[in-house]
């Protein structure tokens, strides 16, 4: 169990209780957080669960593997702190994680 | 069981309960050939959620979205791995990435994700628009066309063949081969011959690109790194055939069924013509109402799923177009409703979600923008009704329009 906060591009906040073992993307979807499309269902194949992780958290998360890095390059509105939320597994250490969402998952 | 066998079983397997038997021939069902998607809806209303048909070599058929998603996400038991185009004495040909299961699937699929991402295909928009307008130029003055052969075939096929680096002057030949490859009425030997011909054509393209790279998908794939090495020639063939079938068959039918719907629904046609900003949402709903492809799995061990006993070796057909008419997933499924949020099954789900979906959506958006702008109110030619074909893909074979 870990509380994770999602902040939409317009500033609206959603705090959810994520289950250990699920992905951050699944936590968002299960709690109906808007702004995460997750077209491929969580297999790092579509770049539509894109989110920004605060710099302080970047070093605490396992770094992206080659597949995730490749797909981040295909996301829209990429920043240095971009991650695919489907590749972030929820653990108790993620308590307090903040994920900001891009203005759009599917267009410039 | 052999999912590609067009024969009807004389005897139902012992483990299949009689109440789950329902006769449905995915190629020749009369109601399917009259209106394919009305038949998808009637399967939801009339047949058990998971039923066994003696047709097509004997197969389970799954029509509900929840069950389809569960089976798709359980490749250990419901495997894709048996799907192959042809087997001969030397080696078997695997269609990549669709005929392998995770985790191998992930490695094979990754090289396709980037060139077919929404961002990458966006660069094709002006080419799609130009091509659409060229095709409209050819038919506009006549006041009529067969939408399938005049627009739906040449547009996505020419574009996809260019993208993949295939020779565009052989369009009609390729379309014929693609149609035969996805038919379930051709016999086993004929299908093997078809796949060998497809493989032969694509082998020529691959060899040409091995000699000299171009700006195309086959060239890109030759240089990718899969688990530390470049694809083998056989793997390149596997990729190329999948791209061939996906690119040549699916979008053609998605466009045709969508235009058929608009031809029949003058109110919707007028609404979209008046407000093109509705198109992205309308395209999703047209895609939901007119799913194309189904997928097949083979059972790897005895398993009970959604209350049904599956046995090792059983064939399971996941009827994606029917899932789009599942009331539990889509309230009022027969109605065209803008703004639905539930994900439709037309592009499949999970790891095998259609790799070309971004290109398909872009093609459809640009096509409708131009077609609705330039072609006045169109309707079906009352003298020549549309014609359809079943099989693993639902297909339009003729669509005469007048305006």
């Amino acid at each position: 169990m870990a509380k994770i906060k999602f902040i939409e591009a317009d500033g609206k906040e959603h705090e959810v209780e994520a289950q250990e073992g699920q992905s951050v993307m699944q936590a968002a979807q299960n709690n109906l957080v808007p702004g995460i499309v997750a077209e491929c269902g969580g297999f790092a194949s579509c770049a539509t669960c894109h989110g920004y992780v605060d710099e302080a958290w970047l070093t605490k998360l396992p770094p992206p593997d080659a597949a995730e890095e490749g797909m981040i390059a295909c996301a829209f509105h990429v920043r240095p702190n971009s991650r695919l939320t489907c590749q972030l597994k929820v653990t108790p250490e993620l308590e307090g994680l903040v994920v900001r969402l891009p203005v759009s998952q599917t267009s410039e | 069981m052999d999912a590609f066998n067009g024969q009807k079983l004389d005897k139902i397997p012992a483990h299949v309960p009689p109440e789950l038997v329902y006769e449905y021939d995915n190629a020749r069902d009369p109601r399917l050939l009259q209106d394919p998607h009305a038949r998808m809806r009637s399967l939801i209303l009339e047949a058990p959620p998971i039923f066994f048909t003696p047709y097509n070599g004997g197969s389970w058929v799954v029509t509900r979205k929840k069950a389809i998603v569960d089976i798709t996400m359980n490749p250990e038991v419901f495997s894709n791995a048996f799907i192959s185009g042809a087997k001969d004495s030397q080696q078997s040909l695997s269609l990549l990435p669709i005929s392998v299961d995770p985790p191998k699937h992930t490695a094979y699929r990754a090289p396709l994700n980037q060139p077919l991402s929404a961002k990458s295909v966006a660069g094709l928009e002006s080419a799609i628009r130009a091509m659409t307008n060229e095709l409209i130029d050819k038919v506009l003055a006549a006041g009529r066309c067969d939408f399938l052969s005049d627009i739906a075939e040449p547009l996505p096929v020419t574009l996809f063949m260019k993208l993949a680096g295939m020779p565009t002057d052989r369009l009609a030949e390729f379309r014929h081969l693609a149609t035969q490859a996805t038919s379930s009425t051709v016999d086993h030997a004929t299908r093997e011959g078809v796949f060998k011909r497809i493989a032969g054509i694509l082998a020529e393209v691959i060899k040409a690109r091995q000699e000299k790279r171009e700006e195309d998908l086959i060239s890109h794939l030759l240089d990718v790194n899969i688990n530390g090495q470049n694809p083998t020639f056989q793997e390149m063939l596997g990729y190329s055939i999948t791209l061939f079938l996906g690119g040549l068959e699916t979008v053609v039918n998605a466009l045709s069924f969508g235009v058929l719907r608009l031809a029949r629904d003058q109110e919707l046609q007028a609404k979209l013509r008046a407000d093109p900003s509705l198109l992205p949402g309308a395209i999703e709903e047209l895609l939901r109402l007119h799913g194309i492809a189904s997928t097949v799995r083979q059972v790897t061990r005895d398993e009970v799923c959604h209350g049904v006993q599956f046995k090792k070796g059983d064939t399971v057909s996941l009827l994606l177009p029917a899932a789009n008419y599942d009331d539990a997933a889509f309230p009022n499924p027969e109605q065209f409703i803008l703004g639905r949020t539930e994900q439709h099954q037309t592009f499949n789900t999970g790891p095998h979600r259609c790799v070309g979906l971004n290109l398909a959506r872009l093609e459809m958006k640009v096509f409708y923008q131009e077609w609705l702008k330039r072609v006045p109110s169109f309707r079906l030619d009352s003298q020549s009704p549309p014609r359809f074909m079943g099989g693993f893909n639902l297909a339009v074979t003729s669509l005469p329009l007048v305006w």
Side-chain angles (χ1 to χ4, degrees):
Chain A
M1 196 77 70
K3 282 195 179 68
I4 296 177
K5 185 186 290 186
F6 295 91
I7 305 181
E8 289 184 64
D10 64 5
K12 198 173 304 173
E13 299 188 357
H14 307 267
E15 187 158 81
V16 314
E17 292 231 331
Q19 308 299 317
E20 185 166 356
Q22 70 181 172
S23 71
V24 170
M25 175 275 286
Q26 282 170 320
Q29 293 218 310
N30 291 352
N31 289 278
L32 305 181
V33 175
I36 288 188
V37 173
E39 186 86 68
C40 74
F43 293 87
S45 290
C46 71
T48 62
C49 66
H50 172 214
Y52 310 116
V53 171
D54 284 355
E55 282 73 5
W57 278 94
L58 275 183
T59 53
K60 297 176 185 171
L61 297 168
D65 63 15
E68 183 184 348
E69 270 186 358
M71 286 316 295
I72 290 172
C74 297
F76 292 96
H77 311 285
V78 176
R79 297 179 187 166
N81 58 333
S82 291
R83 290 299 301 260
L84 298 187
T85 58
C86 72
Q87 300 301 298
L88 303 178
K89 187 134 292 194
V90 175
T91 62
E93 287 72 43
L94 262 55
E95 174 78 21
L97 175 69
V98 177
V99 178
R100 294 171 196 274
L101 300 179
V103 63
S104 170
Q105 295 281 3
T106 56
S107 60
E108 296 288 357
Chain B
M1 293 182 195
D2 178 1
F4 300 92
N5 183 332
Q7 302 303 306
K8 183 182 181 186
L9 288 187
D10 288 334
K11 195 177 183 217
I12 304 296
H15 68 290
V16 177
E19 65 271 18
L20 294 186
V21 177
Y22 180 93
E23 297 210 346
Y24 170 67
D25 181 339
N26 77 353
R28 301 178 190 83
D29 184 282
R31 284 194 277 168
L32 181 77
L33 297 178
Q34 185 177 353
D35 187 334
H37 294 97
R39 185 61 170 127
M40 295 296 107
R41 175 59 173 159
S42 76
L43 290 176
I44 295 286
L45 295 170
E46 297 172 19
I50 298 176
F51 65 85
F52 186 89
T53 176
Y55 285 98
N56 317 122
S59 168
W60 291 101
V61 179
V62 186
T63 59
R64 301 309 202 269
K65 181 179 176 184
K66 179 69 165 73
I68 286 174
V69 171
D70 290 347
I71 288 171
T72 298
M73 297 303 204
N74 189 5
E76 253 186 56
V77 180
F78 298 95
S79 171
N80 298 271
F82 81 106
I83 300 174
S84 63
K87 289 183 163 62
D88 53 30
S89 52
Q90 288 91 37
Q91 57 222 326
S92 88
L93 184 62
S94 283
L95 305 187
L96 299 177
I98 64 177
S99 67
V100 296
D101 293 317
K104 283 178 74 180
H105 174 271
T106 306
Y108 279 124
R109 162 115 180 194
L112 293 172
N113 291 330
Q114 292 174 40
L116 293 171
S117 70
K119 186 185 277 187
S120 297
V121 301
L124 296 169
E125 178 165 343
S126 56
I128 297 169
R129 201 172 298 280
M131 208 177 297
T132 300
N133 281 304
E134 284 169 29
L135 293 169
I136 293 174
D137 288 343
K138 292 180 179 176
V139 303
L140 190 55
R144 65 171 60 246
C145 70
D146 184 323
F147 184 79
L148 177 77
S149 53
D150 292 331
I151 308 285
E153 281 186 331
L155 176 60
V157 173
T158 305
L159 179 71
F160 197 88
M161 288 170 75
K162 284 182 178 178
L163 180 68
M166 299 175 190
T168 54
D169 57 339
R170 301 171 77 173
L171 186 152
E173 175 188 7
F174 282 14
R175 269 288 295 161
H176 176 68
L177 288 170
T179 301
Q180 283 207 296
T182 57
S183 166
S184 56
T185 54
V186 304
D187 62 76
H188 206 78
T190 301
R191 186 191 313 281
E192 283 198 1
V194 166
F195 270 94
K196 280 182 177 169
R197 273 190 68 195
I198 293 171
I201 292 165
L202 295 172
E204 292 172 27
V205 180
I206 294 165
K207 284 171 185 168
R209 298 293 178 270
Q210 285 177 325
E211 296 295 315
K212 182 177 187 290
R213 303 289 197 269
E214 303 279 354
E215 298 286 320
D216 58 41
L217 202 47
I218 288 179
S219 297
H220 165 79
L221 288 169
L222 282 166
D223 291 325
V224 300
N225 184 314
I226 299 180
N227 297 324
Q229 52 199 7
N230 297 132
T232 65
F233 187 80
Q234 283 301 112
E235 286 168 334
M236 285 302 303
L237 267 183
Y239 271 123
S240 303
I241 292 175
T242 302
L243 293 170
F244 179 97
L245 295 176
L248 269 57
E249 192 66 17
T250 308
V251 177
V252 170
N253 290 304
L255 280 173
S256 299
F257 280 119
V259 163
L260 171 62
R261 165 73 58 149
L262 296 189
R264 284 173 167 161
D265 188 338
Q266 293 292 304
E267 185 180 328
L268 177 59
Q269 187 185 140
K271 183 175 177 181
L272 296 179
R273 187 174 278 109
D275 186 358
S277 73
L278 298 174
L279 281 170
I283 287 165
E284 290 310 306
E285 189 62 344
L286 289 171
L287 285 164
R288 179 192 69 83
L289 284 162
H290 307 291
I292 308 296
S294 293
T295 66
V296 182
R297 300 284 187 274
Q298 190 172 55
V299 181
T300 63
R301 65 171 189 251
D302 294 3
E303 182 101 342
V304 175
C305 178
H306 283 256
V308 173
Q309 171 71 68
F310 293 94
K311 283 209 165 281
K312 181 177 178 178
D314 282 356
T315 299
V316 183
S317 178
L318 306 179
L319 216 62
L320 304 176
N324 291 337
Y325 284 89
D326 178 354
D327 307 70
F330 304 96
N332 300 302
E334 289 160 85
Q335 292 179 26
F336 182 100
I337 297 174
L338 279 170
R340 290 188 193 263
T341 55
E342 307 89 352
Q343 189 179 84
H344 60 72
Q345 294 293 292
T346 299
F347 292 131
N348 206 341
T349 197
H352 292 279
R353 191 147 167 88
C354 174
V355 72
L357 61 81
N358 295 304
L359 181 57
R361 284 179 172 138
L362 178 63
E363 288 179 80
M364 292 178 78
K365 185 188 79 165
V366 173
F367 163 78
Y368 283 117
Q369 284 171 347
E370 297 303 317
W371 180 265
L372 290 171
K373 185 195 304 175
R374 299 189 57 197
V375 178
S377 213
F378 56 93
R379 60 192 184 281
L380 295 181
D381 182 340
S382 57
Q383 303 303 308
S384 305
R387 289 200 298 272
F388 308 101
M389 190 174 75
F392 299 104
N393 286 358
L394 301 180
V396 174
T397 58
S398 171
L399 181 53
L401 299 177
V402 296
W403 56 83

